[in-house]
Amino acid sequence: MTNFQNYREYEMSCKLRDNLPLDVMIVGATGAGKSTLVNALCGASFAQVGKGVDPETMDVKRYTLNSHFCVWDTPGLGDSASADARHKRKIVDHLLMTYESMGKRHSFMDMVLVVLEGGIRDMGSCYSLMNEVIVPNIDRDRILVAINQADIAMKGTHWDYAYNRPDAVLESFLRDKAESVRRRVYEATGVSIQEPVCFSAESGYNVNAVVDAVIEQIPRKRPDVRRA
């Protein structure tokens, strides 16, 4: 499995052009695999993973991969209206964090990665999260979407377990799903995203492509505080 603590570190440092790390918030519904992705990136079981439908992450937590890259695990949505309201507030509070540098105030969070479940068709929680929480509080070009659980997207069929990758049938299905998600996100939220990466945090498949997508979309400058 790829060691993401050193993955493309020099390129990231060149793109960032300062001594501050890239901070990426990972959000999504309960069970989407956010904490599993954090563990795959960190190379250890730092983030506790929920079992079944029970969520494990209840607070926003920061994990440092290296001096240039930090990820933030967040509570999942979709459990109950009251829990979702509390979790959304926590996410917004962190999106609104700022710091001062060179006489300017900047948003602390550089990017948001929305993680979806590969086998789920109903994206209501995703649209609600993006429309109510993400879009109002971070620039649209700092939003990415990725689709997790590629290995069980077709109920576990058409996955080549020997080589840890989809076969031709599942690969075609995942391409169609990624394009469908990109189109549906735009129709529902007005946000134009790049085509989502399909991956499996559990098996490690294509996690490097998720990091590649993050690196390719590193903003040219640190985000300024958004004005009302």
Side-chain angles (χ1 to χ4, degrees):
M1 188 173 290
T2 303
N3 178 2
F4 291 104
Q5 293 182 323
N6 300 316
Y7 187 75
R8 297 179 67 180
E9 185 178 5
Y10 177 74
E11 184 175 350
M12 289 189 71
S13 67
C14 292
K15 281 199 166 192
L16 292 169
R17 292 196 297 269
D18 56 32
N19 294 321
L20 299 174
L22 183 76
D23 282 277
V24 179
M25 177 182 280
I26 302 176
V27 302
T30 295
K34 302 179 300 298
S35 297
T36 306
L37 174 58
V38 169
N39 288 334
L41 294 173
C42 294
S45 297
F46 292 126
Q48 292 188 330
V49 178
K51 303 298 183 183
V53 296
D54 297 322
E56 183 64 42
T57 304
M58 301 303 291
D59 293 300
V60 179
K61 300 178 181 179
R62 189 189 198 210
Y63 299 89
T64 301
L65 276 72
N66 55 53
S67 60
H68 303 295
F69 194 13
C70 297
V71 293
W72 296 70
D73 196 10
T74 62
L77 302 182
D79 297 312
S80 68
S82 59
D84 282 359
R86 292 194 302 272
H87 296 337
K88 287 177 180 178
R89 185 68 253 170
K90 291 177 182 178
I91 293 172
V92 170
D93 287 345
H94 281 77
L95 286 174
L96 294 178
M97 291 192 311
T98 63
Y99 69 94
E100 188 168 331
S101 176
M102 303 293 290
K104 291 185 178 181
R105 185 152 293 279
H106 304 280
S107 297
F108 191 92
M109 211 63 63
D110 296 296
M111 301 171 71
V112 171
L113 172 63
V114 183
V115 176
L116 307 179
E117 296 178 69
I120 299 299
R121 293 179 179 273
D122 183 8
M123 294 175 56
S125 294
C126 169
Y127 299 150
S128 172
L129 177 64
M130 293 185 69
N131 279 321
E132 299 174 18
V133 177
I134 306 304
V135 175
N137 295 297
I138 196 168
D139 296 332
R140 296 183 177 205
D141 61 353
R142 303 179 193 276
I143 301 172
L144 294 87
V145 177
I147 303 171
N148 191 17
Q149 302 173 355
D151 50 335
I152 58 173
M154 295 182 72
K155 299 182 178 180
T157 63
H158 296 287
W159 184 259
D160 188 334
Y161 288 92
Y163 291 94
N164 190 37
R165 66 188 184 193
D167 68 8
V169 174
L170 180 53
E171 198 170 68
S172 177
F173 174 85
L174 292 171
R175 282 198 301 269
D176 291 343
K177 186 174 187 66
E179 172 55 28
S180 174
V181 166
R182 187 197 62 77
R183 184 179 66 253
R184 292 166 65 190
V185 165
Y186 180 76
E187 292 172 351
T189 69
V191 177
S192 180
I193 59 171
Q194 59 180 312
E195 185 171 301
V197 173
C198 294
F199 71 103
S200 170
E202 185 72 32
S203 72
Y205 166 73
N206 228 23
V207 174
N208 62 305
V210 177
V211 181
D212 290 340
V214 169
I215 293 174
E216 293 307 315
Q217 204 160 321
I218 288 177
R220 294 185 177 181
K221 67 181 185 68
R222 297 289 179 174
D224 295 334
V225 173
R226 299 186 65 167
R227 304 295 182 183

